Amino acid sequence: GFNGGSDSMYVPDNFNLDPGNLETLSQDGIYRWEVGGLFTISPTHVGVPLEFRIGKREEHAYFDALVLNLDQSLVAAELDSLFDLQYAAADFNQDGSVDGADLIIWQTHYGLSASASPGQGDANGDGKVDGRDFLIWQREFTTGSSLVAQSFQVPEPASLWPFILGNCLIFAFRNRLKNGSYLSKRGSSHVHV
């Protein structure tokens, strides 16, 4: 709250109850953690929706976050750390996804070997932007249909020949079955294809 006219709200005694208890907030406009009560979840509650109802008592009272935690002894710094954003190692621009934009950052700084930062494409923290960082980007890549990713998926020429040869053999075998030349050698008269 910001003053004595905005320093309280209502909280409940338990789940699924209307809030009827007055909770006093700060009066200086500074956010702080208020430790609430203990709410027990019994085996009969498992799989059942539970509501935690909070009521606004004064117009200018605000609350920023609600934390339900098994450890009631958490101090303010520990509660704050629950909201620290953790980005993937290859999310170089820290936009919440590992995608083509991060690959461009890695490409731009590839070869940098003196004190490279994560924002320059150093995913493993070794101070370099190299192939190891690219492998981390590749492993964490989250936007599978981006054009940037597709441009790097070039098939190996050597892997194409077994595919072509295999299809030719299948085609030839099926033609021999249809023409009966394979059957005449075996002496069979009934084949279902």
Side-chain angles (χ1 to χ4, degrees):
F2 294 95
N3 54 48
S6 62
D7 64 346
S8 64
M9 59 193 307
Y10 292 114
V11 296
D13 285 320
N14 209 335
F15 293 111
N16 301 332
L17 294 178
D18 287 332
N21 298 323
L22 182 66
E23 180 75 27
T24 303
L25 308 172
S26 66
Q27 292 186 10
D28 56 9
I30 297 174
Y31 287 99
R32 72 175 188 206
W33 288 103
E34 297 286 341
V35 179
L38 182 64
F39 294 84
T40 304
I41 298 176
S42 68
T44 60
H45 291 129
V46 175
V48 177
L50 297 174
E51 290 182 356
F52 186 82
R53 302 173 189 160
I54 298 174
K56 195 167 195 174
R57 180 173 181 263
E58 295 170 306
E59 182 180 358
H60 298 290
Y62 295 94
F63 87 90
D64 195 36
L66 172 67
V67 176
L68 301 176
N69 199 300
L70 297 177
D71 184 359
Q72 286 231 324
S73 66
L74 294 176
V75 296
E78 292 169 320
L79 287 162
D80 286 340
S81 71
L82 295 175
F83 294 91
D84 288 344
L85 294 177
Q86 300 294 320
Y87 295 102
D91 186 7
F92 305 128
N93 61 2
Q94 296 187 342
D95 67 352
S97 64
V98 177
D99 54 18
D102 300 299
L103 180 60
I104 291 171
I105 292 170
W106 176 84
Q107 286 176 324
T108 302
H109 297 97
Y110 178 76
L112 190 62
S113 62
S115 303
S117 69
Q120 295 171 312
D122 179 18
N124 62 0
D126 66 355
K128 302 174 194 170
V129 179
D130 55 18
R132 291 180 179 151
D133 304 305
F134 173 77
L135 292 175
I136 294 170
W137 174 86
Q138 193 175 39
R139 195 169 45 246
E140 294 180 350
F141 182 68
T142 54
T143 314
S145 63
S146 81
L147 295 175
V148 175
Q150 290 175 0
S151 68
F152 285 94
Q153 296 175 356
V154 179
E156 297 272 339
S159 67
L160 195 55
W161 285 112
F163 175 77
I164 292 171
L165 182 60
N167 281 331
C168 288
L169 289 174
I170 290 170
F171 181 76
F173 181 72
R174 291 183 90 194
N175 277 344
R176 290 186 83 185
L177 278 176
K178 285 182 182 180
N179 295 335
S181 61
Y182 184 78
L183 298 177
S184 62
K185 292 180 183 175
R186 296 282 186 197
S188 174
S189 60
H190 301 293
V191 173
H192 299 284
V193 180

Short mmCIF file of all heavy atoms in Angstrom, two decimals, residues 58-103:
data_model
loop_
_atom_site.label_atom_id
_atom_site.label_comp_id
_atom_site.label_asym_id
_atom_site.label_seq_id
_atom_site.Cartn_x
_atom_site.Cartn_y
_atom_site.Cartn_z
N GLU A 58 -9.01 -2.19 0.05
CA GLU A 58 -8.83 -0.77 -0.23
C GLU A 58 -8.39 -0.58 -1.67
O GLU A 58 -7.62 -1.38 -2.21
CB GLU A 58 -7.80 -0.18 0.75
CG GLU A 58 -8.34 -0.23 2.19
CD GLU A 58 -7.29 0.11 3.22
OE1 GLU A 58 -6.23 -0.53 3.20
OE2 GLU A 58 -7.54 1.00 4.01
N GLU A 59 -8.85 0.48 -2.26
CA GLU A 59 -8.72 0.70 -3.69
C GLU A 59 -7.28 0.66 -4.20
O GLU A 59 -7.00 0.12 -5.26
CB GLU A 59 -9.36 2.04 -4.05
CG GLU A 59 -9.33 2.35 -5.51
CD GLU A 59 -9.97 3.67 -5.84
OE1 GLU A 59 -10.48 4.35 -4.94
OE2 GLU A 59 -9.93 4.05 -7.02
N HIS A 60 -6.35 1.20 -3.47
CA HIS A 60 -4.98 1.31 -3.97
C HIS A 60 -4.03 0.27 -3.39
O HIS A 60 -2.81 0.41 -3.49
CB HIS A 60 -4.43 2.72 -3.73
CG HIS A 60 -5.20 3.77 -4.45
ND1 HIS A 60 -5.17 3.90 -5.82
CD2 HIS A 60 -6.08 4.70 -4.00
CE1 HIS A 60 -5.97 4.89 -6.19
NE2 HIS A 60 -6.53 5.39 -5.10
N ALA A 61 -4.58 -0.80 -2.81
CA ALA A 61 -3.74 -1.89 -2.31
C ALA A 61 -3.43 -2.82 -3.46
O ALA A 61 -4.28 -3.13 -4.28
CB ALA A 61 -4.45 -2.64 -1.19
N TYR A 62 -2.18 -3.23 -3.57
CA TYR A 62 -1.74 -4.10 -4.66
C TYR A 62 -1.01 -5.31 -4.11
O TYR A 62 -0.35 -5.24 -3.09
CB TYR A 62 -0.76 -3.36 -5.59
CG TYR A 62 -1.40 -2.22 -6.32
CD1 TYR A 62 -1.32 -0.92 -5.80
CD2 TYR A 62 -2.06 -2.42 -7.52
CE1 TYR A 62 -1.91 0.13 -6.47
CE2 TYR A 62 -2.65 -1.36 -8.19
CZ TYR A 62 -2.57 -0.09 -7.66
OH TYR A 62 -3.15 0.96 -8.33
N PHE A 63 -1.14 -6.41 -4.82
CA PHE A 63 -0.21 -7.49 -4.53
C PHE A 63 0.34 -7.99 -5.84
O PHE A 63 -0.33 -8.01 -6.86
CB PHE A 63 -0.85 -8.58 -3.65
CG PHE A 63 -1.60 -9.66 -4.35
CD1 PHE A 63 -0.95 -10.81 -4.74
CD2 PHE A 63 -2.96 -9.55 -4.57
CE1 PHE A 63 -1.65 -11.82 -5.37
CE2 PHE A 63 -3.65 -10.56 -5.19
CZ PHE A 63 -3.00 -11.70 -5.60
N ASP A 64 1.61 -8.32 -5.80
CA ASP A 64 2.39 -8.60 -6.99
C ASP A 64 2.43 -10.08 -7.32
O ASP A 64 2.46 -10.45 -8.49
CB ASP A 64 3.80 -8.07 -6.77
CG ASP A 64 4.60 -7.98 -8.05
OD1 ASP A 64 4.01 -7.66 -9.09
OD2 ASP A 64 5.80 -8.22 -8.01
N ALA A 65 2.48 -10.93 -6.32
CA ALA A 65 2.63 -12.37 -6.57
C ALA A 65 2.05 -13.16 -5.42
O ALA A 65 1.96 -12.67 -4.29
CB ALA A 65 4.10 -12.71 -6.75
N LEU A 66 1.65 -14.38 -5.72
CA LEU A 66 1.16 -15.31 -4.71
C LEU A 66 2.01 -16.56 -4.82
O LEU A 66 2.14 -17.15 -5.91
CB LEU A 66 -0.31 -15.65 -4.97
CG LEU A 66 -0.91 -16.76 -4.11
CD1 LEU A 66 -1.00 -16.31 -2.66
CD2 LEU A 66 -2.29 -17.13 -4.63
N VAL A 67 2.63 -16.97 -3.73
CA VAL A 67 3.49 -18.15 -3.73
C VAL A 67 2.90 -19.18 -2.78
O VAL A 67 2.70 -18.90 -1.60
CB VAL A 67 4.93 -17.80 -3.28
CG1 VAL A 67 5.78 -19.06 -3.19
CG2 VAL A 67 5.54 -16.79 -4.22
N LEU A 68 2.61 -20.35 -3.32
CA LEU A 68 2.22 -21.48 -2.48
C LEU A 68 3.43 -22.39 -2.42
O LEU A 68 3.88 -22.90 -3.44
CB LEU A 68 1.01 -22.21 -3.08
CG LEU A 68 -0.25 -21.37 -3.27
CD1 LEU A 68 -1.34 -22.18 -3.97
CD2 LEU A 68 -0.75 -20.83 -1.94
N ASN A 69 3.98 -22.58 -1.22
CA ASN A 69 5.23 -23.32 -1.07
C ASN A 69 5.15 -24.20 0.16
O ASN A 69 4.49 -23.86 1.14
CB ASN A 69 6.39 -22.32 -0.96
CG ASN A 69 7.71 -22.96 -1.25
OD1 ASN A 69 8.13 -23.90 -0.58
ND2 ASN A 69 8.39 -22.46 -2.28
N LEU A 70 5.85 -25.31 0.12
CA LEU A 70 5.86 -26.21 1.28
C LEU A 70 6.75 -25.71 2.40
O LEU A 70 6.63 -26.16 3.53
CB LEU A 70 6.33 -27.61 0.84
CG LEU A 70 5.43 -28.32 -0.17
CD1 LEU A 70 6.04 -29.65 -0.58
CD2 LEU A 70 4.04 -28.53 0.40
N ASP A 71 7.64 -24.78 2.11
CA ASP A 71 8.59 -24.28 3.10
C ASP A 71 8.20 -22.87 3.53
O ASP A 71 8.41 -21.91 2.81
CB ASP A 71 10.00 -24.28 2.49
CG ASP A 71 11.07 -23.87 3.49
OD1 ASP A 71 10.73 -23.57 4.65
OD2 ASP A 71 12.24 -23.84 3.10
N GLN A 72 7.64 -22.75 4.73
CA GLN A 72 7.21 -21.44 5.22
C GLN A 72 8.34 -20.61 5.79
O GLN A 72 8.14 -19.48 6.18
CB GLN A 72 6.12 -21.62 6.29
CG GLN A 72 4.80 -22.03 5.74
CD GLN A 72 3.69 -21.13 6.23
OE1 GLN A 72 3.69 -20.69 7.37
NE2 GLN A 72 2.74 -20.85 5.37
N SER A 73 9.54 -21.18 5.83
CA SER A 73 10.67 -20.44 6.41
C SER A 73 11.48 -19.69 5.36
O SER A 73 12.54 -19.18 5.67
CB SER A 73 11.57 -21.41 7.19
OG SER A 73 12.17 -22.32 6.30
N LEU A 74 10.98 -19.60 4.13
CA LEU A 74 11.73 -18.89 3.09
C LEU A 74 11.84 -17.41 3.45
O LEU A 74 10.85 -16.77 3.81
CB LEU A 74 11.03 -19.03 1.73
CG LEU A 74 10.97 -20.43 1.12
CD1 LEU A 74 10.17 -20.41 -0.17
CD2 LEU A 74 12.37 -20.97 0.87
N VAL A 75 13.04 -16.87 3.32
CA VAL A 75 13.25 -15.44 3.58
C VAL A 75 12.99 -14.67 2.28
O VAL A 75 12.86 -15.26 1.20
CB VAL A 75 14.68 -15.18 4.12
CG1 VAL A 75 14.89 -15.85 5.47
CG2 VAL A 75 15.73 -15.61 3.12
N ALA A 76 12.95 -13.35 2.37
CA ALA A 76 12.60 -12.51 1.22
C ALA A 76 13.49 -12.78 0.01
O ALA A 76 13.00 -12.87 -1.12
CB ALA A 76 12.66 -11.04 1.61
N ALA A 77 14.79 -12.93 0.21
CA ALA A 77 15.70 -13.17 -0.92
C ALA A 77 15.39 -14.50 -1.60
O ALA A 77 15.45 -14.62 -2.82
CB ALA A 77 17.16 -13.15 -0.45
N GLU A 78 15.04 -15.53 -0.81
CA GLU A 78 14.69 -16.83 -1.39
C GLU A 78 13.38 -16.75 -2.15
O GLU A 78 13.22 -17.36 -3.22
CB GLU A 78 14.60 -17.89 -0.29
CG GLU A 78 15.94 -18.20 0.35
CD GLU A 78 15.82 -19.04 1.61
OE1 GLU A 78 14.89 -18.80 2.41
OE2 GLU A 78 16.65 -19.96 1.78
N LEU A 79 12.42 -16.00 -1.64
CA LEU A 79 11.16 -15.80 -2.34
C LEU A 79 11.40 -15.03 -3.64
O LEU A 79 10.84 -15.37 -4.68
CB LEU A 79 10.17 -15.07 -1.45
CG LEU A 79 9.58 -15.92 -0.31
CD1 LEU A 79 8.96 -15.04 0.76
CD2 LEU A 79 8.57 -16.91 -0.84
N ASP A 80 12.23 -14.00 -3.59
CA ASP A 80 12.56 -13.24 -4.81
C ASP A 80 13.18 -14.15 -5.87
O ASP A 80 12.87 -14.02 -7.06
CB ASP A 80 13.54 -12.11 -4.49
CG ASP A 80 12.88 -10.95 -3.76
OD1 ASP A 80 11.64 -10.82 -3.82
OD2 ASP A 80 13.62 -10.18 -3.11
N SER A 81 14.05 -15.06 -5.44
CA SER A 81 14.75 -15.91 -6.40
C SER A 81 13.81 -16.86 -7.12
O SER A 81 14.13 -17.36 -8.20
CB SER A 81 15.88 -16.68 -5.72
OG SER A 81 15.35 -17.69 -4.87
N LEU A 82 12.63 -17.13 -6.55
CA LEU A 82 11.65 -17.97 -7.24
C LEU A 82 11.18 -17.32 -8.54
O LEU A 82 10.71 -18.00 -9.44
CB LEU A 82 10.43 -18.22 -6.34
CG LEU A 82 10.66 -19.03 -5.07
CD1 LEU A 82 9.38 -19.08 -4.24
CD2 LEU A 82 11.14 -20.43 -5.40
N PHE A 83 11.33 -16.00 -8.65
CA PHE A 83 10.87 -15.28 -9.82
C PHE A 83 11.99 -14.86 -10.76
O PHE A 83 11.76 -14.18 -11.74
CB PHE A 83 10.06 -14.04 -9.38
CG PHE A 83 8.80 -14.43 -8.68
CD1 PHE A 83 8.76 -14.58 -7.32
CD2 PHE A 83 7.64 -14.68 -9.41
CE1 PHE A 83 7.60 -14.97 -6.67
CE2 PHE A 83 6.48 -15.07 -8.78
CZ PHE A 83 6.46 -15.21 -7.40
N ASP A 84 13.22 -15.29 -10.45
CA ASP A 84 14.33 -15.00 -11.35
C ASP A 84 14.15 -15.82 -12.62
O ASP A 84 13.93 -17.03 -12.58
CB ASP A 84 15.68 -15.37 -10.71
CG ASP A 84 16.07 -14.42 -9.60
OD1 ASP A 84 15.47 -13.33 -9.53
OD2 ASP A 84 16.95 -14.77 -8.80
N LEU A 85 14.24 -15.16 -13.75
CA LEU A 85 14.09 -15.85 -15.03
C LEU A 85 15.34 -16.66 -15.33
O LEU A 85 16.46 -16.17 -15.18
CB LEU A 85 13.85 -14.84 -16.15
CG LEU A 85 12.53 -14.08 -16.09
CD1 LEU A 85 12.46 -13.05 -17.22
CD2 LEU A 85 11.35 -15.02 -16.17
N GLN A 86 15.15 -17.88 -15.74
CA GLN A 86 16.24 -18.75 -16.12
C GLN A 86 16.13 -19.00 -17.63
O GLN A 86 15.17 -19.61 -18.08
CB GLN A 86 16.18 -20.08 -15.36
CG GLN A 86 16.27 -19.93 -13.86
CD GLN A 86 17.60 -19.41 -13.40
OE1 GLN A 86 18.64 -19.79 -13.94
NE2 GLN A 86 17.60 -18.52 -12.44
N TYR A 87 17.08 -18.51 -18.38
CA TYR A 87 17.06 -18.68 -19.83
C TYR A 87 17.88 -19.89 -20.22
O TYR A 87 18.84 -20.25 -19.56
CB TYR A 87 17.63 -17.43 -20.52
CG TYR A 87 16.80 -16.20 -20.30
CD1 TYR A 87 17.18 -15.24 -19.39
CD2 TYR A 87 15.62 -16.00 -21.02
CE1 TYR A 87 16.41 -14.09 -19.18
CE2 TYR A 87 14.84 -14.88 -20.83
CZ TYR A 87 15.24 -13.93 -19.91
OH TYR A 87 14.48 -12.82 -19.71
N ALA A 88 17.49 -20.51 -21.31
CA ALA A 88 18.27 -21.61 -21.86
C ALA A 88 19.65 -21.07 -22.26
O ALA A 88 19.79 -19.89 -22.60
CB ALA A 88 17.56 -22.20 -23.08
N ALA A 89 20.65 -21.93 -22.22
CA ALA A 89 22.02 -21.50 -22.51
C ALA A 89 22.15 -20.89 -23.90
O ALA A 89 22.92 -19.96 -24.10
CB ALA A 89 22.97 -22.68 -22.36
N ALA A 90 21.39 -21.39 -24.88
CA ALA A 90 21.50 -20.90 -26.25
C ALA A 90 20.47 -19.83 -26.59
O ALA A 90 20.34 -19.44 -27.74
CB ALA A 90 21.38 -22.06 -27.24
N ASP A 91 19.76 -19.33 -25.59
CA ASP A 91 18.84 -18.21 -25.82
C ASP A 91 19.64 -16.92 -25.67
O ASP A 91 19.54 -16.20 -24.70
CB ASP A 91 17.68 -18.27 -24.81
CG ASP A 91 16.61 -17.22 -25.08
OD1 ASP A 91 16.70 -16.53 -26.12
OD2 ASP A 91 15.70 -17.09 -24.25
N PHE A 92 20.45 -16.64 -26.68
CA PHE A 92 21.42 -15.55 -26.61
C PHE A 92 20.77 -14.18 -26.48
O PHE A 92 21.32 -13.29 -25.85
CB PHE A 92 22.35 -15.58 -27.83
CG PHE A 92 23.05 -16.90 -28.01
CD1 PHE A 92 23.00 -17.55 -29.22
CD2 PHE A 92 23.73 -17.50 -26.96
CE1 PHE A 92 23.64 -18.78 -29.41
CE2 PHE A 92 24.37 -18.72 -27.12
CZ PHE A 92 24.32 -19.36 -28.35
N ASN A 93 19.60 -13.98 -27.05
CA ASN A 93 18.93 -12.68 -26.93
C ASN A 93 17.92 -12.65 -25.79
O ASN A 93 17.22 -11.66 -25.59
CB ASN A 93 18.26 -12.29 -28.25
CG ASN A 93 17.19 -13.28 -28.68
OD1 ASN A 93 16.89 -14.25 -27.99
ND2 ASN A 93 16.61 -13.03 -29.84
N GLN A 94 17.81 -13.72 -25.04
CA GLN A 94 16.96 -13.84 -23.86
C GLN A 94 15.52 -13.39 -24.14
O GLN A 94 14.93 -12.65 -23.37
CB GLN A 94 17.56 -13.08 -22.68
CG GLN A 94 18.88 -13.65 -22.25
CD GLN A 94 19.44 -13.03 -20.99
OE1 GLN A 94 19.03 -11.94 -20.58
NE2 GLN A 94 20.35 -13.71 -20.36
N ASP A 95 14.95 -13.94 -25.22
CA ASP A 95 13.56 -13.65 -25.52
C ASP A 95 12.64 -14.80 -25.14
O ASP A 95 11.46 -14.80 -25.44
CB ASP A 95 13.37 -13.29 -27.00
CG ASP A 95 13.64 -14.46 -27.93
OD1 ASP A 95 14.13 -15.52 -27.46
OD2 ASP A 95 13.38 -14.32 -29.14
N GLY A 96 13.19 -15.83 -24.49
CA GLY A 96 12.39 -16.94 -24.02
C GLY A 96 12.32 -18.12 -24.97
O GLY A 96 11.69 -19.12 -24.65
N SER A 97 12.95 -18.03 -26.12
CA SER A 97 12.98 -19.18 -27.04
C SER A 97 14.32 -19.25 -27.74
O SER A 97 14.95 -18.24 -28.02
CB SER A 97 11.84 -19.09 -28.05
OG SER A 97 12.00 -17.97 -28.88
N VAL A 98 14.73 -20.47 -28.00
CA VAL A 98 15.96 -20.70 -28.75
C VAL A 98 15.55 -20.90 -30.20
O VAL A 98 14.90 -21.88 -30.54
CB VAL A 98 16.71 -21.94 -28.21
CG1 VAL A 98 17.95 -22.22 -29.04
CG2 VAL A 98 17.08 -21.73 -26.75
N ASP A 99 15.88 -19.93 -31.03
CA ASP A 99 15.37 -19.92 -32.39
C ASP A 99 16.39 -19.35 -33.37
O ASP A 99 17.57 -19.21 -33.04
CB ASP A 99 14.05 -19.15 -32.46
CG ASP A 99 14.17 -17.73 -31.89
OD1 ASP A 99 15.31 -17.23 -31.76
OD2 ASP A 99 13.14 -17.13 -31.58
N GLY A 100 15.93 -19.01 -34.57
CA GLY A 100 16.81 -18.49 -35.62
C GLY A 100 17.50 -17.20 -35.24
O GLY A 100 18.64 -16.94 -35.67
N ALA A 101 16.84 -16.37 -34.45
CA ALA A 101 17.47 -15.10 -34.03
C ALA A 101 18.72 -15.38 -33.21
O ALA A 101 19.73 -14.67 -33.33
CB ALA A 101 16.48 -14.26 -33.23
N ASP A 102 18.68 -16.42 -32.39
CA ASP A 102 19.86 -16.78 -31.60
C ASP A 102 20.96 -17.35 -32.49
O ASP A 102 22.14 -17.11 -32.25
CB ASP A 102 19.47 -17.80 -30.51
CG ASP A 102 18.42 -17.24 -29.58
OD1 ASP A 102 18.70 -16.23 -28.92
OD2 ASP A 102 17.31 -17.79 -29.54
N LEU A 103 20.56 -18.09 -33.52
CA LEU A 103 21.55 -18.61 -34.46
C LEU A 103 22.27 -17.48 -35.18
O LEU A 103 23.49 -17.53 -35.38
CB LEU A 103 20.88 -19.54 -35.49
CG LEU A 103 21.82 -20.16 -36.52
CD1 LEU A 103 22.91 -20.99 -35.85
CD2 LEU A 103 21.04 -20.99 -37.52
#
